[in-house]
Amino acid sequence: MSAENMEYLTIALPKGKVFGKAAELFKKIGYTAEGLSDKSRKLIITNESKKIRFIITKTADVPVYVEYGAADIGVIGKDVLMESAKDVYELLDLQIAKCHLMMAVAKKAKRKHLADYANTRVATKFPHIAAAFFNSKGMQMEYIKLHGSIELGPIVGLSESIVDIVETGTTLRENDLVEYAFIADATARLIANRVSFKMKFARISKLTEALRQVVNSAD
Ligand code: PRP
């Protein structure tokens, strides 16, 4: 690790829903930087006095930056972390961005048993999670990877079901889908690069403990 990299702690935050909540948690422990916003066109935002660098990336890329050590730590939803299967340490459940992974189907065409969906098509952003779930039920499925608006799948006849996250349930309701099977809870997690965790152990563990206190006090 270069001297410059050793000097700074680089934190990857995902654009979008999780960003604001994660930035707020870090601010509470004194980790912030002027102009830190996911609307910023500047992708690295530095706090020189505290030697912190924030990098703002697409959600799915956070575990990639952390796995390769381009970021020392990062914040990412458990759903994306599970799907990416990256070799990183999961340090803390930040208890933000609460949602869960589930299988949903069209209300009108709801079948009686889960097994009745065997050998049908599943539209999902999470093909690995979906496959692990259906494999655990002994079901062979055809997976169709989409990148967003997953709920369209069963409506337009692309698939019989979806595997996706649900937060408030609004998107399912508005598209006449119903939750059919629960898969896993998913909240945002603090993750760390394995080498950074050893090389910057004091700093990362202090930060983790400070965040843990903030998270626990919010319960
Ligand atoms: C996510 C997810 C659902 C929706 C669930 O999509 O894929 O579509 O949020 O939230 P709800 O239960 O509160 O309605 P996101 O907004 O990230 O956009 P996307 O469809 O482009 O992935």
Side-chain angles (χ1 to χ4, degrees):
M1 196 176 283
S2 73
E4 198 200 339
N5 279 346
M6 262 318 278
E7 200 184 345
Y8 287 88
L9 188 75
T10 304
I11 304 170
L13 297 180
K15 282 183 188 174
K17 282 183 189 169
V18 179
F19 180 86
K21 290 172 185 159
E24 200 181 301
L25 276 183
F26 276 96
K27 196 174 172 190
K28 284 189 180 156
I29 62 160
Y31 275 69
T32 190
E34 207 184 317
L36 181 61
S37 156
D38 68 338
K39 304 286 175 288
S40 164
R41 297 307 297 170
K42 208 169 162 199
L43 300 174
I44 303 185
I45 298 164
T46 308
N47 179 334
E48 270 307 333
S49 61
K50 294 211 160 188
K51 299 293 179 210
I52 304 165
R53 273 196 303 228
F54 287 97
I55 63 173
I56 302 168
T57 77
K58 280 257 190 192
T59 301
D61 294 338
V62 168
V64 180
Y65 281 90
V66 175
E67 184 182 47
Y68 284 94
D72 298 306
I73 60 172
V75 172
I76 192 62
K78 179 71 175 176
D79 49 336
V80 178
L81 188 59
M82 278 166 77
E83 182 64 23
S84 72
K86 292 292 179 202
D87 188 19
V88 296
Y89 285 127
E90 188 180 321
L91 300 178
L92 183 65
D93 181 347
L94 296 170
Q95 301 281 339
I96 53 171
K98 286 188 183 174
C99 58
H100 64 275
L101 284 152
M102 48 93 234
M103 172 200 179
V105 301
K107 206 172 174 177
K108 276 193 246 159
K110 191 173 161 183
R111 301 183 186 179
K112 202 164 177 199
H113 304 288
L114 181 63
D116 298 336
Y117 287 93
N119 302 305
T120 62
R121 289 182 296 206
V122 187
T124 185
K125 251 189 288 193
F126 306 103
H128 294 108
I129 294 173
F133 170 71
F134 288 109
N135 289 345
S136 77
K137 305 286 178 196
M139 291 166 69
Q140 285 259 337
M141 308 295 279
E142 187 181 335
Y143 300 100
I144 302 174
K145 166 105 187 192
L146 295 178
H147 297 88
S149 305
I150 314 300
E151 291 80 0
L152 257 180
I155 302 173
V156 296
L158 179 68
S159 67
E160 279 70 26
S161 65
I162 62 168
V163 165
D164 199 13
I165 53 161
V166 56
E167 196 175 342
T168 60
T170 309
T171 316
L172 289 182
R173 272 193 303 279
E174 291 193 351
N175 293 292
D176 294 322
L177 301 181
V178 284
E179 187 168 336
Y180 196 80
F182 172 89
I183 299 179
D185 278 315
T187 43
R189 309 295 157 102
L190 179 70
I191 57 170
N193 171 267
R194 288 180 176 272
V195 174
S196 300
F197 188 69
K198 288 192 185 80
M199 305 277 283
K200 301 181 183 178
F201 181 77
R203 198 168 178 192
I204 294 176
S205 45
K206 199 172 152 200
L207 174 147
T208 307
E209 284 320 303
L211 282 174
R212 193 190 306 279
Q213 285 194 8
V214 172
V215 169
N216 289 345
S217 69
D219 285 346

